[in-house]
Amino acid sequence: MLNFVKQLSHESVVELIGLVSLPKKPLTATSQQVEIHVTKMYCLSRSLPNLPLAVVDAARSEADIEKSVKDGKPAARVLQDTRLNNRPLDLRTPANQALFRIQCHVQIAFREFLLSKGFLEIHTPKLMAGSSEGGSAVFRLDYKGQPACLAQSPQLHKQMAICGDMRRVFEVGPVFRAEDSFTHRHLCEFVGLDVEMEIRMHYSEIMDLVGDLFPFIFTKIEERCPKELESVRRQYPFHSLKFLPQTLRLTFAEGIQMLKEAGEEVDPLGDLNTESEKKLGQLVLEKYKTEFYMLHRYPSAVRPFYTMPCEDDSNYSNSFDVFIRGEEIISGAQRIHDPELLEKRARECGIDVKTISTYIDAFRYGAPPHGGFGAGLERVVMLLCALNNIRKTSLFPRDPKRLAP
């Protein structure tokens, strides 16, 4: 049997038959706490003798690599492109196995909470006649002889569902963005966590929901995935997310003021760039002891055409963003439900009204005040585990340069 085992290549798939026993001393060199006294062994699938990467190398932490260098026996560092080009092998590391189980439980908790609040899960089309967000960052294609594009968001159709008297809806599904964003947090395809709901009194009702939903998700992950979180920490050390029982809310103007007092130059009617977001995250953590907070009443100029302007000042809008560890994960707002105002705003944003006529017509049949938000699943998991790149939390990432495997 030993001769048979020796000639097997690493990562071959085997079947073992034997007696499982608990050792007298706890095992430290393995994730399992039992031993198998093997009596029979079969090879089900033999791997190549020379693999493009060794799973043991891909599973090393940065601290382990640095220690090996100091000890004079430098260990191999597996680069990101090598990992992604050979993703089936890379996925075998304990940290990756854990990350995608955590991702699964984020979706479960998301659905669990919303279903308990009377929401209905829906599925919207991903092929559209026109842009759903405005601008040019769409994947265009030919649809049986007519121009079409991949949906940048389920925004328009989840709003139409509200107009159809569904009242509270959510979706977990693919979102496509053709942006040339070569950053650590952008993808061309990601999984969207989207919500839309009626508003009875004020758009703060949406923020109330978000303020309860995400702490629920964070708590459930800590409760349900302790082993998975520990597996991730062994390769990518991080501390648990700090958040308050009642989610902190600041107005955009208050956030701008905090940045100005810290010596940052920011446009009071412009959007925050990545550096400003991170700086504000540090300031909020120092002052309020939380890494999860909301910023609301954003300038109208930096929000999509369907965002409702503030009643007291049209320079601002009934909108908000939510941040984890100084990075934005959620964008949300009250939507315009008046068709004339909606047409006006679409034209101002350079959108051909004809391409979204069915969307605007939905509001001509009577529409309640409503709003919602969207988050990227991969970004939520990335920031929850304080990872440095969203490609670690995408099973098979799609970015401006990657279309395989």
Side-chain angles (χ1 to χ4, degrees), residues 198-222:
E198 279 187 359
I199 294 172
R200 296 193 179 278
M201 299 295 293
H202 192 266
Y203 85 99
S204 60
E205 293 163 30
I206 313 166
M207 293 191 286
D208 293 340
L209 181 83
V210 174
D212 292 336
L213 168 61
F214 279 83
F216 175 86
I217 292 172
F218 302 149
T219 301
K220 290 303 177 185
I221 293 301
E222 290 286 345

Side-chain angles (χ1 to χ4, degrees), residues 181-192:
S181 297
F182 298 90
T183 74
H184 73 286
R185 65 178 190 174
H186 287 95
L187 292 170
C188 290
E189 180 184 352
F190 60 90
V191 178

Side-chain angles (χ1 to χ4, degrees), residues 253-266 272 275-281 283 295:
E254 288 172 330
I256 292 293
Q257 186 59 35
M258 288 179 69
L259 287 168
K260 285 184 175 179
E261 290 174 358
E264 297 287 316
E265 289 187 14
V266 282
L272 297 180
E275 291 72 25
S276 296
E277 285 181 1
K278 288 185 176 180
K279 180 63 178 179
L280 184 57
L283 297 172
L295 209 57

Side-chain angles (χ1 to χ4, degrees), residues 5 41 51 93 95 99 151 178 180 186 221 228 233 244 263 266 304 306 331 362 365 377 385 392:
V5 172
M41 181 175 182
L51 296 173
T93 67
L99 278 170
D180 291 329
H186 287 95
I221 293 301
E228 289 80 2
R233 283 191 179 99
L244 301 173
V266 282
Y306 48 72
S331 185
Y365 312 137
L377 174 62
C385 296
K392 288 184 170 72

Side-chain angles (χ1 to χ4, degrees), residues 311-382:
E311 191 174 6
D312 61 329
D313 187 346
S314 62
N315 286 318
Y316 294 92
S317 59
N318 291 352
S319 62
F320 63 93
D321 278 358
V322 183
F323 299 84
I324 293 180
R325 302 188 197 269
E327 296 196 47
E328 179 252 314
I329 60 154
I330 295 173
S331 185
Q334 179 181 354
R335 323 302 186 185
I336 297 172
H337 60 281
D338 174 77
E340 282 70 34
L341 179 56
L342 200 54
E343 279 191 356
K344 178 175 178 289
R345 285 289 297 140
R347 288 193 180 95
E348 289 172 353
C349 292
I351 296 172
D352 183 354
V353 176
K354 292 178 183 177
T355 65
I356 56 169
S357 59
T358 54
Y359 164 66
I360 295 177
D361 286 345
F363 299 98
R364 302 190 196 281
Y365 312 137
H370 62 280
F373 61 89
L377 174 62
E378 293 88 346
R379 193 180 294 188
V380 170
V381 178
M382 175 188 80

Side-chain angles (χ1 to χ4, degrees), residues 56-57 59-78:
V56 66
D57 291 334
R60 285 195 178 94
S61 69
E62 195 60 34
D64 289 338
I65 294 172
E66 289 175 3
K67 184 177 184 300
S68 71
V69 172
K70 289 180 181 177
D71 293 343
K73 298 178 180 179
R77 176 184 276 105
V78 183

Side-chain angles (χ1 to χ4, degrees), residues 217-287:
I217 292 172
F218 302 149
T219 301
K220 290 303 177 185
I221 293 301
E222 290 286 345
E223 291 175 359
R224 297 170 179 173
C225 304
K227 291 182 180 178
E228 289 80 2
L229 290 168
E230 187 53 38
S231 289
V232 176
R233 283 191 179 99
R234 276 198 292 270
Q235 185 165 1
Y236 307 109
F238 72 96
H239 67 261
S240 295
L241 184 71
K242 296 177 182 177
F243 59 95
L244 301 173
Q246 185 170 358
T247 301
L248 174 70
R249 292 181 201 172
L250 300 170
T251 64
F252 186 83
E254 288 172 330
I256 292 293
Q257 186 59 35
M258 288 179 69
L259 287 168
K260 285 184 175 179
E261 290 174 358
E264 297 287 316
E265 289 187 14
V266 282
D267 181 354
L269 293 177
D271 207 353
L272 297 180
N273 58 31
T274 302
E275 291 72 25
S276 296
E277 285 181 1
K278 288 185 176 180
K279 180 63 178 179
L280 184 57
Q282 292 172 0
L283 297 172
V284 168
L285 178 59
E286 291 168 7
K287 185 173 181 178

